Amino acid sequence: MEPETPTSWPVLRRMPDLATLEEPTRTAVDAAVARLCLLRGVFADRFLVLARRHLSSYDVLSDDDIRASAQRFMDVLISEMNSRRVPDDALRETLWDHAHERAARGIPLDDLALGYKLGSRAMLSLLDEVATEVAMPAAFLLAAHDSTWEFANEASGIFARIQHELALERAHFDAERRSTFAAGVLSGAFPAEQISCDAQAFGLTPQSSYVALAARTETPDDAETIRRAVASAVHVPLDRLLLARIGPDLGFIVPRVPESVGRHLVAAGPPLPLDQLAKGFDEAVLTLETARKFAMSGVVHLADMGPRPLVFGDAHTAECLSARHLTALDRAGRSSGEIEATARTYLECDQDVGEVARRLAVHPNTVRYRVNRFQQLTELDLRRTEDLVTSWWLLNRRRA
């Protein structure tokens, strides 16, 4: 047996332009439409029986609701045919609105597609009965059947598009709810009672500890990249990650500190209960600000910063100390930059002259000379703890 091909299928008959029908066919169609007007209730009752038998999800709908919906489709069909139009466009619009309304009431779109096919079958059965009464030409009746089933297939596509739209809307709504919750927790705007009440909706346990993360992004692409990196690092599905934009920063609520986020900079606060996580986020933001000023990367903690956060405190004190100790250094001419960089590296290397020489690619004696020169110009003796701390603070504040 040869396989079937599209060319061997029966010819698809399409509804003709109703305005161009020959007089006998037009008369039969007008009579059929008039008869269908009287049978609106019959069609609605037949569809109700089919819906109750085959569509369990329609149990949430009343009998009157189902009948009224069936009659609306019948009214569109009759109105269009009275106007000498094939009712395709009008049915599409009605179908689109009907599907959205039913989906909002929890009817699965697969059941809507089946319901439309059941309704089409009931409509064609009724049309067959009427066609016999009004002597409708067979060719026109067959075209009506083919067009109706062709449109039923198109209706399935319409339902699929609506299903996709609704899924996107639900995802967007869920993302907004997650963002609102994360922002309320991390900013401290939500009281403990609200946090405890809402937490379970997002799969969180109020008594457990969580970690607040902070990151700074410049573009939406950067934000998406960090979002994916964090989700992957803490093994949380991307669509379940709790994050929010809080001022210039992205804030995250995660179950654990990520081990790595690649080249990105992410600051982590300490593990804390949800109702105390605002404190953890404040610490993460302080850590982030410090790490950014020092051009750090990766996952950073406040404990990693040492005294660096102190560099940014008390601007007035910094100005006074800079004027007192760094003015002479700044007037040292072209060598001032080399002296300052060498002194700062000397402190970073725990006063290891050999390591400083290696990093700066100079002779150890050059390091010693520049460090001595720094002490002469600033009147800060690096052998004294207080002067050493002051030097470190001033030099790192200036660099940051």
Side-chain angles (χ1 to χ4, degrees), residues 228-289:
R228 291 180 179 278
V230 170
S232 175
V234 298
H235 307 294
V236 172
L238 195 61
D239 62 346
R240 293 290 179 263
L241 190 64
L242 286 163
L243 75 155
R245 175 71 66 178
I246 303 175
D249 301 316
L250 274 182
F252 299 83
I253 299 175
V254 295
R256 66 187 69 85
V257 177
E259 293 184 3
S260 174
V261 289
R263 60 180 178 79
H264 307 292
L265 173 62
V266 173
L272 292 169
L274 285 171
D275 58 2
Q276 299 177 37
L277 209 55
K279 297 177 182 177
F281 184 66
D282 286 344
E283 180 175 312
V285 170
L286 172 62
T287 304
L288 179 69
E289 291 286 357

Side-chain angles (χ1 to χ4, degrees), residues 13-332:
R13 302 170 179 85
R14 298 192 180 279
M15 289 280 283
D17 184 347
L18 300 186
T20 65
L21 292 177
E22 295 180 356
E23 186 59 34
T25 303
R26 178 182 298 181
T27 300
V29 170
D30 289 345
V33 171
R35 182 70 178 132
L36 289 172
C37 283
L38 301 176
L39 297 174
R40 293 169 65 254
V42 173
F43 170 70
D45 288 340
R46 291 183 181 180
F47 179 72
L48 174 62
V49 172
L50 292 171
R52 292 301 187 213
R53 183 180 302 163
H54 300 288
L55 302 171
S56 59
S57 63
Y58 276 45
D59 290 347
V60 299
L61 306 175
S62 68
D63 289 355
D64 289 343
D65 191 343
I66 295 173
R67 287 194 188 95
S69 174
Q71 288 182 353
R72 280 197 299 273
F73 279 96
M74 175 72 89
D75 290 342
V76 171
L77 178 69
I78 292 171
S79 174
E80 291 294 285
M81 295 188 74
N82 266 331
S83 302
R84 296 282 188 266
R85 291 190 296 266
V86 177
D88 287 356
D89 289 339
L91 279 177
R92 287 186 187 94
E93 183 176 348
T94 301
L95 189 62
W96 193 272
D97 294 340
H98 171 74
H100 273 287
E101 185 270 332
R102 286 293 191 246
R105 298 182 65 175
I107 304 298
L109 293 181
D110 287 345
D111 278 3
L112 288 178
L114 176 58
Y116 189 81
K117 291 178 179 178
L118 293 173
S120 297
R121 180 181 299 173
M123 176 65 71
L124 290 174
S125 177
L126 191 61
L127 181 60
D128 288 345
E129 297 171 18
V130 171
T132 301
E133 296 178 20
V134 302
M136 181 179 291
F140 185 88
L141 182 60
L142 289 173
H145 272 260
D146 283 2
S147 294
T148 298
W149 287 117
E150 189 75 7
F151 189 83
N153 291 331
E154 182 182 339
S156 296
I158 291 175
F159 290 133
R161 289 197 298 275
I162 292 173
Q163 190 170 30
H164 180 66
E165 288 182 3
L166 292 176
L168 291 178
E169 288 178 6
R170 285 192 293 269
H172 180 70
F173 175 69
D174 187 54
E176 287 187 340
R177 289 178 62 227
R178 289 178 174 279
S179 178
T180 299
F181 177 78
V185 171
L186 295 176
S187 67
F190 284 1
E193 295 78 8
Q194 182 175 351
I195 293 174
S196 179
C197 180
D198 293 348
Q200 292 184 354
F202 302 103
L204 305 180
T205 305
Q207 296 77 21
S208 298
S209 293
Y210 296 90
V211 174
L213 304 179
R216 182 75 56 84
T217 60
E218 304 299 332
T219 67
D221 287 343
D222 289 342
E224 179 63 16
T225 301
I226 290 181
R227 187 171 78 99
R228 291 180 179 278
V230 170
S232 175
V234 298
H235 307 294
V236 172
L238 195 61
D239 62 346
R240 293 290 179 263
L241 190 64
L242 286 163
L243 75 155
R245 175 71 66 178
I246 303 175
D249 301 316
L250 274 182
F252 299 83
I253 299 175
V254 295
R256 66 187 69 85
V257 177
E259 293 184 3
S260 174
V261 289
R263 60 180 178 79
H264 307 292
L265 173 62
V266 173
L272 292 169
L274 285 171
D275 58 2
Q276 299 177 37
L277 209 55
K279 297 177 182 177
F281 184 66
D282 286 344
E283 180 175 312
V285 170
L286 172 62
T287 304
L288 179 69
E289 291 286 357
T290 305
R292 290 181 73 244
K293 295 289 179 60
F294 285 89
M296 301 173 75
S297 62
V299 180
V300 294
H301 306 258
L302 187 60
D304 302 329
M305 298 296 104
R308 289 184 182 88
L310 303 177
V311 168
F312 308 107
D314 197 352
H316 178 67
T317 300
E319 290 175 4
C320 292
L321 287 174
S322 294
R324 168 71 179 79
H325 296 289
L326 300 183
T327 299
L329 175 63
D330 291 338
R331 293 174 179 171

